[in-house]
């Protein structure tokens, strides 16, 4: 059998084939990398959106589950006194609710204590909530630190500080600001106004507003991402706190 001495492939042809295969492999790797990067960004956006949606749902449910209750305060000396259990300050809010993060609407009532604290590395602020199973007015009264006299408002109830702990749940982090406001009904126009605190023992606010904004600039956020914005929720309470508290307190 005769063989052609010039048959076969040359070195140049091999180099061309290897180069084409390398280019094809590089193109495939680049396409896969772009695909994985896009998938990661989409997942991160979905997680961020889900976190914002869950935070708003938790806040709305806790406020929707607002339950009026008494707090019986027992000072070191003197008789016990009963007050409406509702702390309403610009950076903290404490109340009884039928909703909890762990058990949703199926568990027993909880004392929800919301507090605005500095975030890690001083990067804005964060909103946390502490939940304590509710056992009665006496337990709620243990969270009252002192009573103060005010010429205009009468007796002011001062609550103990809300401290972060291992069981504190971070509702929102890296916020530029976070503050609470309370809707007060008025007898004259404009018939209602937002105020930064609530001291009245004879009535409750019509609604609660939580004002917050992300620390990151809007241009740095995805155009389709959900931003942590203001939340307004009514207090759907059908029992007025304007009661004779002496009926609930026994002399010491």
């Amino acid at each position: 059998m005769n063989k052609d001495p010039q048959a076969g492939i040359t070195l140049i042809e091999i180099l061309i084939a290897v180069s084409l295969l390398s280019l094809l492999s590089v193109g495939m790797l680049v396409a896969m990398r772009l695909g994985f990067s896009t998938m990661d960004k989409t997942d991160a956006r979905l997680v961020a959106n889900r976190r914002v949606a869950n935070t708003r749902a938790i806040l709305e449910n806790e406020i929707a589950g607002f339950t009026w209750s008494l707090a019986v305060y027992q000072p070191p000396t003197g008789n016990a006194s009963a007050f409406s259990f509702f702390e309403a300050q610009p950076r903290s809010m404490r109340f009884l609710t039928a909703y909890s993060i762990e058990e949703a609407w199926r568990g027993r009532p909880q004392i929800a204590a919301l507090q605005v604290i500095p975030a890690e590395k001083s990067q804005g602020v964060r909103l946390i909530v502490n939940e304590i199973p509710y056992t009665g007015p006496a337990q709620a009264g243990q969270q009252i630190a002192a009573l103060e006299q005010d010429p205009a408002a009468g007796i002011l109830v001062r609550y103990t500080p809300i401290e972060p702990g291992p069981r504190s749940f971070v509702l929102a982090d890296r916020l530029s600001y976070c503050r609470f406001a309370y809707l007060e009904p008025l007898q004259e126009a404009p018939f209602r106004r937002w105020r930064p605190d609530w001291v009245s023992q004879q009535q409750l606010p019509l609604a609660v507003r939580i004002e917050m904004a992300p620390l990151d600039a809007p241009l740095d956020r995805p155009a389709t991402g959900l931003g942590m914005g203001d939340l307004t929720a009514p207090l759907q309470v059908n029992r007025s706190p304007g009661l004779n508290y002496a009926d609930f307190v026994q002399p010491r």
Side-chain angles (χ1 to χ4, degrees):
M1 183 176 181
N2 294 329
K3 295 183 177 180
D4 187 355
Q6 297 181 352
I9 57 176
T10 63
L11 180 60
I12 295 179
E13 292 174 336
I14 294 176
L15 293 176
I16 294 175
V18 172
S19 299
L20 293 176
L21 181 61
S22 300
L23 291 175
L24 181 61
S25 301
V26 170
M28 294 177 60
L29 290 175
V30 171
M32 293 177 62
R33 183 174 181 179
L34 290 176
F36 284 127
S37 177
T38 302
M39 184 178 64
D40 291 340
K41 291 180 179 179
T42 302
D43 289 343
R45 182 176 300 175
L46 289 175
V47 170
N49 291 348
R50 191 177 298 114
R51 184 180 296 113
V52 171
N54 290 342
T55 296
R56 296 185 67 90
I58 291 173
L59 291 172
E60 289 174 350
N61 288 333
E62 287 194 334
I63 297 175
F66 179 95
T67 304
W68 179 82
S69 173
L70 284 172
V72 177
Y73 173 64
Q74 179 64 65
T77 59
N79 296 329
S81 303
F83 302 91
S84 177
F85 181 60
F86 180 48
E87 179 186 11
Q89 298 296 326
R91 295 174 62 89
S92 62
M93 184 166 57
R94 181 166 11 199
F95 55 92
L96 179 64
T97 179
Y99 179 88
S100 66
I101 297 176
E102 293 184 356
E103 300 178 343
W105 297 99
R106 301 180 298 274
R108 58 178 174 173
Q110 303 279 329
I111 294 177
L114 289 86
Q115 179 68 46
V116 180
I117 63 173
E120 293 183 354
K121 301 179 181 179
S122 300
Q123 295 181 349
V125 297
R126 62 174 46 165
L127 176 62
I128 65 170
V129 59
N130 296 338
E131 290 187 342
I132 305 172
Y134 177 73
T135 60
Q139 177 213 23
Q142 294 176 359
Q143 303 199 30
I144 297 178
L147 304 178
E148 298 179 3
Q149 291 288 342
D150 184 87
I155 298 179
L156 298 181
V157 180
R158 300 301 183 189
Y159 289 84
T160 58
I162 302 174
E163 300 290 346
R167 295 183 59 84
S168 298
F169 186 82
V170 180
L171 292 171
D173 202 0
R174 292 181 55 82
L175 298 174
S176 176
Y177 61 86
C178 181
R179 53 181 176 259
F180 303 103
Y182 311 92
L183 186 59
E184 178 184 21
L186 302 176
Q187 298 296 329
E188 301 177 353
F191 300 108
R192 59 185 60 186
R193 66 178 176 182
W194 290 100
R195 54 178 301 158
D197 60 357
W198 191 264
V199 298
S200 174
Q201 288 289 320
Q202 301 303 318
Q203 62 179 348
L204 293 170
L206 299 176
V208 174
R209 183 171 65 193
I210 304 178
E211 303 171 351
M212 47 189 166
L215 182 63
D216 300 330
L219 295 177
D220 298 335
R221 297 183 60 83
T224 58
L226 295 178
M228 184 63 70
D230 296 351
L231 182 150
T232 302
L235 287 186
Q236 301 175 352
V237 181
N238 57 10
R239 184 173 183 180
S240 172
L243 302 173
N244 184 6
Y245 299 118
D247 297 338
F248 295 88
V249 178
Q250 297 295 329
R252 190 178 181 185

